[in-house]
Amino acid sequence: MNHRELAQAILEQVGGINNITQLVNCATRLRMNFKDESLVHLDQINKIPGVLGAVKKSGQYQIIIGTDVANVCNEIKAMGLNESPVNTGKKVGKIDALMDIFAAIFTPVIPAITAAGMIKAILVICVLLGMEKTSQIYVVLSFIADAGFYFLPIMLAVSSAKKLGCNPYLAAMVGGALLHPAFTQLVTAGEPVHIFGLPIKLINYGSSVIPIILAVWLMTYVERFADKVSPKAVKFFMKPTLTILIVVPIVLVVLGPLGSYIGTGIATITDFLNMHVSWLVPTLMGAFMPLLVLTGMHWSFLPVLMTSYTTYGYEAVMGPGSLVSNVCQGSAALCVSIKTKNKELKQLASSAGVTALMGITEPAMYGVTIKFKKILLSVMLGGGVGGFYAGLMGVVRYTSGTPGLLSIPIFIGENPMNVVHALIACAIGFVVTFAATWFYGFEEPTDSSEKTETKETEAGEKASMVKKIVISSPVNGKKVDISKVKDETFAKEILGKGIAVESVDGKIAAPFDGEVATIFRTKHVIGLKSTEGVELLIHIGIDTVELEGKFFTPHVQDGDTFKKGDLLLEFDKKAIEEAGYETIIPVIVTNTSNYLEVLASKEGDVEMGQELLTIL
């Protein structure tokens, strides 16, 4: 398929061009929002040749294409895309909504920041090779690179306005006012300045991040107000005039300084961590980056990264750890390709391993890592160890870019050893992950041609040789295969094997005799331990953690003992669904590795007390 054919195939499965309300792309993914999500068929998108995967995360649909993603995105836009904010009426969780906003605001400006950072890296290399900083070539390229950072408020103003639903050109004007040479001269002079009798805080807003986002947020309300009070006959000029005259003074007097203080606070915390515990954040990022990407939580760090770039010219929060983590993904996949006897997995893992080393981890993550719990743990171990070294050596990233061996130049800066230590950290992560994957091992998958034929036979043989534990259903409802749950953590069996149930009455009963291991703070998750040692996780709904315990009523506490059939928890199924959340209930054996097999019963209706899972 060429780029246009791939774009057309995707559009057929998302309800057409008119169903798209927003489309952006990052280094490897199309990120899309839709008017009617019922028209989107992820299962069919996953089958399109050229699509590496498709998921919904953080309130946004993500279609993984790879390095050709920009070409596919451009083809879709060329077909007549008219992006506009649409209120679908569906309630979205606060966390998902926030991640969606961050992604929409920062993703469009990343190419500019990347270009600026790469030019700076080139200049560093040129200086090392003998170029004078006073030469005209250096000076010109330097101010070109600086423009990407200095005028960041204007770029963020446009992307923020597009996401929040106000005029992007008026937003750009607000950003321009903060950077105007006349205002900059006032800041330099330091003389008191007032507007309408109110003092203006003299702050240099060049390269700032938070102030302009707050300004555009205010503008969304002011613009609606101006539209409402402006008579139709003069609305054309009165609406934008009122908007600017209200927004800019408030930003200069209140929101600008507030945003500056927030940015300074973020920079101070980042500086403190880099100075006193430089190893901590890269270690955590290196270890947990796969889980952050799976849940979409990595977007929450974008304001921190942008603030660090504009304040220090580099960041040490995500770059070092994510570089090592990506290399570890490649290491694990390559190890699997060498060790596995399964032809399909060998072919997938070999190609996915190479692309992961280059920074494109989706094929390795979705095709190999997540499918095997032990491999994921090996990747996290290698990422943590490599990240620890990177943090200990003070490795930093000078600009944005997909971390991988191809993008190593983003770690080139004035300290020539920075990139050397980055490569050493990668080597450490690679070796640790490869060794852990090799010796810790993984469950060898059965060839697809043999899978159907041998599954029942193997289960029967195991059942005759080992003790069988039957887990009863804690729910009245309908059984659903765990792979159909719209959460990769459960569908890919990352936490363990199990099954899901659609409840009909909102009641959770004890599936065996045992005790309550834990009830999560937000009451949507309950962990149980049977008298026979089975550890069971019952997770009510998808993303229901965002309800903060609302609509859930537990009848037991941590440490309570119970008998099979005792009522453990109730939830308001209707209210949760009206709030926009699914109420499917994954039931997971979290200590799956302690047993030979966990077998789920067939899909269909089930009542409390009936057989749900069989553990061998």
Side-chain angles (χ1 to χ4, degrees):
M1 274 192 181
N2 59 36
H3 299 140
R4 186 169 185 81
E5 290 171 342
L6 180 54
Q8 289 173 334
I10 291 172
L11 286 178
E12 290 175 4
Q13 302 302 330
V14 299
I17 194 77
N18 294 325
N19 194 37
I20 301 174
T21 60
Q22 182 181 341
L23 170 66
V24 294
N25 70 274
C26 56
T28 60
R29 309 180 185 202
L30 294 173
R31 298 178 179 274
M32 311 173 81
N33 295 87
F34 302 100
K35 298 175 185 176
D36 185 355
E37 295 185 5
S38 67
L39 300 177
V40 181
H41 307 293
L42 285 179
D43 55 339
Q44 295 301 317
I45 295 173
N46 275 300
K47 297 177 182 178
I48 298 174
V51 172
L52 302 177
V55 294
K56 182 185 179 184
K57 288 295 177 187
S58 305
Q60 193 176 60
Y61 286 84
Q62 303 175 15
I63 302 176
I64 306 159
I65 304 295
T67 52
D68 283 339
V69 65
N71 295 322
V72 177
C73 185
N74 290 335
E75 288 291 349
I76 294 176
K77 290 181 177 180
M79 293 178 189
L81 177 63
N82 181 23
E83 300 176 79
S84 59
V86 174
N87 184 0
T88 63
K90 182 177 179 180
K91 296 183 179 180
V92 180
K94 293 180 180 178
I95 296 177
D96 275 356
L98 189 60
M99 296 303 101
D100 182 37
I101 290 172
F102 283 163
I105 289 176
F106 289 103
T107 299
V109 305
I110 286 177
I113 297 299
T114 301
M118 290 302 295
I119 294 173
K120 285 183 173 291
I122 292 171
L123 288 175
V124 169
I125 296 174
C126 290
V127 170
L128 292 175
L129 295 176
M131 178 182 285
E132 295 292 334
K133 291 187 177 181
T134 55
S135 68
Q136 290 186 352
I137 292 178
Y138 184 94
V139 172
V140 172
L141 290 180
S142 182
F143 74 66
I144 291 173
D146 288 340
F149 292 100
Y150 184 79
F151 292 103
L152 184 60
I154 295 178
M155 292 185 283
L156 289 175
V158 173
S159 61
S160 298
K162 288 183 176 180
K163 176 59 184 174
L164 298 178
C166 53
N167 189 302
Y169 302 101
L170 287 179
M173 183 177 176
V174 175
L178 298 180
L179 302 177
H180 196 281
F183 180 67
T184 304
Q185 290 174 6
L186 292 175
V187 173
T188 303
E191 298 292 335
V193 179
H194 294 75
I195 184 170
F196 306 132
L198 299 173
I200 293 177
K201 189 75 174 179
L202 298 177
I203 297 172
N204 188 344
Y205 290 106
S207 303
S208 62
V209 174
I210 307 297
I212 191 62
I213 295 176
L214 293 177
V216 177
W217 168 77
L218 170 66
M219 185 175 159
T220 60
Y221 295 97
V222 174
E223 194 173 38
R224 287 198 292 267
F225 167 77
D227 181 75
K228 186 177 181 179
V229 301
S230 299
K232 290 183 179 181
V234 294
K235 182 174 291 188
F236 175 75
F237 61 84
M238 185 174 179
K239 175 183 173 181
T241 305
L242 273 178
T243 300
I244 292 298
L245 287 178
I246 294 173
V247 170
V248 175
I250 293 177
V251 172
L252 291 174
V253 175
V254 181
L255 293 185
L258 175 61
S260 178
Y261 294 145
I262 294 174
T264 301
I266 292 174
T268 301
I269 294 172
T270 303
D271 191 46
F272 175 85
L273 292 174
N274 289 338
M275 289 287 292
H276 297 87
V277 282
S278 62
W279 55 269
L280 179 61
V281 175
T283 300
L284 295 176
M285 285 293 178
F288 294 103
M289 183 56 64
L291 302 183
L292 291 174
V293 172
L294 279 173
T295 58
M297 289 300 295
H298 60 302
W299 288 109
S300 63
F301 294 95
L302 282 175
V304 180
L305 302 187
M306 288 297 181
T307 300
S308 186
Y309 283 136
T310 56
T311 304
Y312 303 112
Y314 59 81
E315 67 89 10
V317 176
M318 184 177 288
S322 59
L323 171 67
V324 176
S325 179
N326 286 0
V327 169
C328 290
Q329 293 273 6
S331 174
L334 290 176
C335 181
V336 170
S337 72
I338 296 172
K339 191 172 184 180
T340 185
K341 296 178 181 178
N342 183 283
K343 293 181 180 179
E344 294 179 4
L345 180 59
K346 182 181 289 290
Q347 183 178 2
L348 170 64
S350 59
S351 60
V354 173
T355 56
L357 291 178
M358 300 303 108
I360 309 301
T361 60
E362 283 82 3
M365 180 179 294
Y366 291 101
V368 181
T369 307
I370 299 174
K371 290 184 177 180
F372 304 96
K373 186 177 180 180
K374 290 182 178 180
I375 298 178
L376 177 61
L377 293 175
S378 297
V379 170
M380 294 175 68
L381 174 63
V385 175
F388 175 77
Y389 176 85
L392 210 58
M393 295 297 105
V395 175
V396 299
R397 177 172 63 171
Y398 291 97
T399 186
S400 294
T402 302
L405 297 183
L406 283 180
S407 58
I408 279 296
I410 66 179
F411 291 88
I412 296 175
E414 293 185 2
N415 176 11
M417 290 303 295
N418 186 74
V419 70
V420 175
H421 288 306
L423 289 170
I424 294 174
C426 290
I428 292 172
F430 185 97
V431 171
V432 171
T433 301
F434 195 97
T437 304
W438 188 273
F439 293 108
Y440 193 32
F442 53 92
E443 297 178 7
E444 187 74 29
T446 306
D447 286 336
S448 57
S449 59
E450 302 173 2
K451 201 173 289 183
T452 303
E453 184 178 315
T454 60
K455 188 174 182 180
E456 293 184 3
T457 304
E458 290 177 354
E461 289 175 355
K462 289 179 181 179
S464 64
M465 295 171 60
V466 299
K467 180 180 178 182
K468 182 170 72 172
I469 302 173
V470 175
I471 305 297
S472 300
S473 176
V475 183
N476 291 319
K478 185 177 181 180
K479 294 177 287 184
V480 179
D481 190 280
I482 195 67
S483 64
K484 297 180 181 178
V485 175
K486 296 178 182 178
D487 187 310
E488 296 290 334
T489 303
F490 300 115
K492 300 293 185 181
E493 299 182 336
I494 294 174
L495 298 179
K497 295 186 176 182
I499 194 171
V501 185
E502 283 280 10
S503 172
V504 295
D505 55 16
K507 295 182 179 180
I508 306 293
F512 44 58
D513 295 345
E515 67 176 8
V516 179
T518 184
I519 293 183
F520 200 69
R521 176 182 59 84
T522 51
K523 306 173 187 176
H524 73 296
V525 178
I526 183 168
L528 310 176
K529 186 173 183 179
S530 76
T531 54
E532 295 173 301
V534 177
E535 296 175 6
L536 199 71
L537 180 78
I538 302 175
H539 191 288
I540 304 164
I542 305 300
D543 293 331
T544 46
V545 62
E546 298 168 6
L547 292 173
E548 293 290 335
K550 191 177 180 181
F551 308 130
F552 296 94
T553 306
H555 296 290
V556 289
Q557 299 178 352
D558 289 2
D560 285 358
T561 58
F562 52 77
K563 293 291 184 181
K564 179 179 176 180
D566 289 350
L567 183 62
L568 302 178
L569 184 146
E570 292 181 279
F571 61 95
D572 192 332
K573 175 179 169 67
K574 183 178 179 181
I576 294 173
E577 290 175 344
E578 288 178 349
Y581 297 88
E582 292 188 35
T583 55
I584 194 168
I585 302 173
V587 180
I588 307 296
V589 178
T590 54
N591 60 341
T592 293
S593 59
N594 292 352
Y595 303 99
L596 292 176
E597 187 61 278
V598 175
L599 303 173
S601 55
K602 294 181 179 180
E603 292 184 323
D605 294 336
V606 67
E607 294 182 1
M608 288 180 184
Q610 292 183 344
E611 181 177 331
L612 188 68
L613 296 168
T614 300
I615 301 175
L616 303 177

